[in-house]
């Protein structure tokens, strides 16, 4: 049965070389197969034209390539593309291509559903089914790179782990996928162009620092007051802001990399001066910058976009304290591809 076979992309280059040696073949066959899988993006063993038919048949009998399939693609009026990505077990995640004048960014998913329970996020309403494998994350990037070249005439320039799921709850596989994406024998992208966005898992943030990762870190903060943050992001009760702050300070001491805080302002929730002052205090604890994000409704009356004057107050007060702040307008809202809207709602 095909579905009982091992996915060949779970093997490292060394394991592929060892496998071929164990079958009486030359070790370099493993290098050839590895290149077909990770550089040329082969979808089947028949694509591997510099390998004998006999060897390809043997591989087909022992392994599978569980490649993703872009099941549905939607294009926004602003050029944003949302993909419904079908996995080998028929589960679906979503990924997004976000174009601007100077770059194209892939927003990729790391879990089917999400482990956390943020009330304002459509993905959080989906039950977490499983973690994505490294190759499933890698494939999302390859697909979006192809779309970037096709529709925007340039290769993919940036990657953000801001799609479905909490990346740090799938840390091992996320890091493995980034290793493949940045490997010169993979996609060869610079880790400086990759950002992992987390809702804040202090223990794993410290591990990332110890692992000396080279990619960037963003934190979905949304409030620097524990009672407010716990109300909208209930997991904060188990991982409160003080623990998060200490982990981020540890991160900066180890990596010297500035943190980006993603922050949505909602009417009546976090739009008062006390909310701004708390954010300023949190930002001053470790070098950081703030992205104020336009809210995208998910058919829920609890969360409403803040008055523009509240955003202006945030910007003025943050800048007055020397904190870099950007107001980020959402892309792809007309196809439910904007931040917080990914929920497998296609059509």
């Amino acid at each position: 049965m095909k579905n009982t076979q091992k996915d060949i992309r779970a093997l490292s280059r060394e394991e592929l070389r060892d496998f071929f040696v164990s079958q009486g073949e030359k070790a370099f066959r493993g290098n050839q197969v590895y290149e077909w899988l990770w550089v040329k993006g082969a979808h089947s063993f028949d694509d591997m034209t510099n390998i004998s038919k006999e060897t390809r048949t043997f591989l087909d009998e022992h392994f599978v390539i569980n490649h993703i399939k872009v099941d549905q693609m939607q294009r926004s009026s602003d050029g944003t593309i949302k993909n419904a990505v079908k996995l080998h077990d028929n589960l679906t995640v979503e990924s997004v291509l976000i174009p601007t004048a100077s770059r194209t960014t892939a927003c990729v998913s790391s879990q089917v559903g999400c482990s956390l329970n943020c009330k304002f996020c459509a993905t959080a309403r989906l039950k977490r089914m499983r973690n994505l494998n490294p190759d499933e994350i890698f494939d999302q990037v390859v697909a979006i790179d192809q779309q970037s070249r096709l529709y925007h005439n340039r290769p993919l320039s940036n990657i953000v782990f801001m799609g479905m799921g909490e990346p740090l709850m799938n840390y091992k596989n996320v890091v493995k996928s980034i290793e493949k994406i940045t490997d010169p024998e993979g996609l060869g992208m610079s880790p400086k162009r990759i950002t992992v966005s987390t809702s804040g898992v202090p223990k794993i943030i410290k591990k990332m620092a110890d692992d000396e990762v080279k990619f960037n870190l963003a934190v979905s903060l949304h409030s620097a007051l524990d009672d407010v943050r716990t109300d909208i992001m209930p997991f904060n009760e188990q991982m409160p802001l003080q623990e998060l702050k200490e982990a981020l300070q540890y991160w900066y001491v180890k990596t010297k990399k500035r943190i980006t805080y993603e922050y949505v302002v909602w009417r009546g929730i976090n739009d008062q001066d006390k909310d701004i002052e708390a954010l300023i205090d949190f930002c001053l604890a470790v070098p950081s910058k703030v992205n104020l994000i336009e809210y995208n409704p998910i058919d829920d009356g609890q969360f409403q976009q803040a008055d523009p004057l509240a955003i202006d107050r945030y910007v003025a007060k943050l800048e007055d304290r020397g904190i870099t702040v950007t107001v980020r307008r959402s892309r792809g809202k007309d196809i439910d591809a904007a931040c917080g809207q990914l929920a497998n709602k296609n059509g």
Side-chain angles (χ1 to χ4, degrees), residues 291-308:
N291 278 343
L292 293 177
I293 303 170
E294 181 181 14
Y295 179 59
N296 307 296
I298 56 171
D299 305 323
D300 190 326
Q302 181 181 357
F303 295 93
Q304 300 293 328
Q305 204 169 84
D307 189 296

Side-chain angles (χ1 to χ4, degrees), residues 17-279:
R17 288 169 59 88
D18 290 345
F19 171 77
F20 276 100
V21 169
S22 74
Q23 301 300 314
E25 290 260 16
K26 300 289 188 187
F28 80 88
R29 289 287 179 214
N31 295 340
Q32 288 179 309
V33 171
Y34 187 91
E35 184 178 346
W36 277 109
L37 295 172
W38 296 108
V39 182
K40 298 177 180 177
H43 285 212
S44 77
F45 296 112
D46 283 339
D47 294 338
M48 301 179 181
T49 49
N50 62 347
I51 295 172
S52 72
K53 174 69 173 170
E54 183 183 22
T55 301
R56 280 181 273 157
T57 301
F58 178 78
L59 289 171
D60 198 45
E61 289 169 353
H62 287 78
F63 298 102
V64 290
I65 304 173
N66 284 329
H67 215 279
I68 67 161
K69 176 189 175 190
V70 176
D71 203 38
Q72 184 177 358
M73 184 187 80
Q74 294 174 276
R75 294 179 69 188
S76 167
S77 56
D78 64 20
T80 300
I81 294 173
K82 182 173 77 167
N83 298 312
V85 175
K86 184 69 67 71
L87 308 175
H88 70 91
D89 52 5
N90 286 323
L91 294 173
T92 300
V93 294
E94 292 180 347
S95 63
V96 183
L97 167 62
I98 307 162
T100 65
S102 60
R103 64 176 64 178
T104 52
T105 299
C107 176
V108 299
S109 294
S110 56
Q111 295 179 312
V112 184
C114 188
S115 307
L116 302 180
N117 50 5
C118 304
K119 293 180 181 177
F120 52 83
C121 181
T123 308
R125 298 179 177 187
L126 304 174
K127 178 185 175 185
R128 190 192 76 81
M129 304 294 288
R130 68 172 175 86
N131 290 334
L132 293 191
N133 297 324
D135 53 275
E136 293 172 321
I137 299 169
F138 179 90
D139 285 351
Q140 292 175 69
V141 175
V142 171
I144 292 176
D145 178 54
Q146 291 169 349
Q147 291 171 336
S148 180
R149 293 169 190 270
L150 178 62
Y151 295 107
H152 298 284
N153 298 311
R154 58 182 188 263
L156 185 67
S157 61
N158 295 76
I159 302 168
V160 292
F161 282 76
M162 294 184 188
M164 300 171 74
E166 166 51 62
L168 300 197
M169 296 293 194
N170 186 20
Y171 176 68
K172 189 169 92 169
N173 288 350
V174 163
V175 168
K176 281 187 177 179
S177 74
I178 291 173
E179 288 171 357
K180 298 294 187 189
I181 291 163
T182 56
D183 189 336
E185 296 178 332
L187 298 183
M189 289 190 70
S190 168
K192 294 178 182 177
R193 294 185 171 272
I194 299 173
T195 299
V196 172
S197 178
T198 175
S199 292
V201 186
K203 181 173 72 172
I204 307 299
I205 290 171
K206 288 181 176 179
K207 178 168 175 49
M208 287 165 57
D210 288 337
D211 290 346
E212 299 181 347
V213 300
K214 303 302 181 190
F215 51 79
N216 303 304
L217 175 63
V219 176
S220 294
L221 190 62
H222 310 306
S223 178
L225 295 169
D226 266 316
D227 58 338
V228 177
R229 195 168 195 258
T230 297
D231 185 52
I232 61 176
M233 306 168 80
F235 71 87
N236 184 72
E237 194 162 9
Q238 285 75 49
M239 294 179 271
L241 285 164
Q242 184 59 37
E243 287 183 25
L244 176 58
K245 182 191 292 185
E246 289 169 2
L248 294 172
Q249 289 171 324
Y250 186 85
W251 159 272
Y252 185 77
V253 167
K254 284 272 191 170
T255 69
K256 298 296 184 286
K257 287 174 115 24
R258 185 168 65 160
I259 295 140
T260 299
Y261 294 124
E262 309 284 357
Y263 198 101
V264 180
V265 186
W266 293 283
R267 186 189 305 272
I269 292 176
N270 60 350
D271 59 352
Q272 302 301 305
D273 285 345
K274 64 176 179 148
D275 300 294
I276 303 174
E277 293 303 326
L279 175 59

